[in-house]
Amino acid sequence: MTLPPPGQTAFLLVAGLLSGLVNAVAGGGSLLLFPALLAIGLPTLPANVTNSIAQWPGYIGAVAGARRELAGQRNRVISTIGVAIAGTGLGCALLLVLPGQVFDAVVPALVLLAAVLLGFSPWLRRWIGAPDPDGPDRRSVLLPAVFVASVYGGYFGGALGVILISVLSLTAHDRLVRLNAVKAALSLVVATVTLVIFALGAPVHWLAVALLAPTTLVGGFLGMRLARVLPESVLRWSVVVLGVAVAGYLFYR
């Protein structure tokens, strides 16, 4: 592993900062860093696992910046951690066992589905009915959905935040900015599991991780501050546009 040329290094640092920021604001920032790693010449699998590990500090920054929004949500977070860990472990195992062609085929469709789900979440909520504001979350839907999302997070991870915020918005009655904080906490859980598994048995480009980790950390912390002041519609549609654009890129690259 050698240090990329100065231009590529600067490109990665900017991509890492933006990735951490976008992940914290609404999810999908890893979709910026994944193609950036491909652009500097990493093969698909090393780019994916390096991307997953490099995101971990960004989620720490996001959770640190979301402490105010996480207040009063302890039960919601704790109830989903177990299924998130199990799902992530399964997803990591699938990535390391299945052929690379499977990865290349399914990821664009999953990214596009996540973006569409988030875009139509207000209409879906009206169709299925909003959760009782004084009642518990729809855990019969929430827990299996978080498990499936975590399998995806362990397998690829790009747009995981989009999927999680979509699931939360459909199963929990709360403001999007508070659900976004839960998304950050669950993303940190998923990222921690992938860090442990990929560090033991995946082709990680550790020099790239060392370059990117500080930038994703700063970006995640700043992004949660930005999320507090953005209107919910802007928060939602910014990620929808990003998800559709990156899905198009992955389909046609």
Side-chain angles (χ1 to χ4, degrees):
M1 294 185 292
T2 59
L3 188 69
Q8 291 186 356
T9 298
F11 173 64
L12 278 182
L13 293 177
V14 172
L17 181 66
L18 291 176
S19 176
L21 191 148
V22 172
N23 266 338
V25 169
S30 52
L31 296 177
L32 295 173
L33 191 52
F34 178 64
L37 291 166
L38 294 176
I40 67 167
L42 288 187
T44 304
L45 180 58
N48 181 48
V49 296
T50 300
N51 183 25
S52 295
I53 291 180
Q55 299 297 332
W56 183 72
Y59 295 128
I60 293 178
V63 171
R67 287 174 296 176
R68 187 173 72 189
E69 287 75 20
L70 284 170
Q73 299 196 81
R74 181 178 180 180
N75 289 340
R76 180 178 287 159
V77 173
I78 290 178
S79 68
T80 53
I81 285 179
V83 294
I85 293 173
T88 305
L90 176 58
C92 291
L94 290 174
L95 177 66
L96 297 176
V97 170
L98 293 176
Q101 295 90 333
V102 176
F103 174 84
D104 292 336
V106 303
V107 163
L110 291 173
V111 172
L112 183 61
L113 176 63
V116 171
L117 179 62
L118 182 60
F120 283 93
S121 62
W123 290 273
L124 288 172
R125 290 186 71 175
R126 285 198 291 269
W127 179 58
I128 66 176
D132 182 357
D134 299 316
D137 296 343
R138 290 193 180 103
R139 293 190 180 180
S140 61
V141 178
L142 174 62
L143 297 183
V146 169
F147 175 81
V148 173
S150 300
V151 173
Y152 169 84
Y155 185 76
F156 175 51
L160 172 64
V162 176
I163 297 173
L164 288 175
I165 195 67
S166 300
V167 168
L168 289 164
S169 68
L170 291 170
T171 58
H173 183 89
D174 214 328
R175 293 184 300 125
L176 190 60
V177 67
R178 282 172 51 81
L179 298 180
N180 198 44
V182 177
K183 175 216 71 181
L186 289 175
S187 296
L188 176 59
V189 171
V190 172
T192 301
V193 176
T194 60
L195 170 65
V196 172
I197 294 176
F198 290 159
L200 294 175
V204 180
H205 194 298
W206 288 107
L207 185 55
V209 171
L211 288 172
L212 291 165
T215 62
T216 60
L217 175 64
V218 173
F221 184 80
L222 295 177
M224 287 309 301
R225 299 299 180 92
L226 180 61
R228 290 174 181 162
V229 299
L230 282 178
E232 291 194 3
S233 59
V234 174
L235 192 65
R236 178 180 299 108
W237 286 104
S238 62
V239 180
V240 171
V241 171
L242 175 67
V244 171
V246 175
Y249 167 80
L250 293 173
F251 270 120
Y252 293 108
R253 71 179 178 88

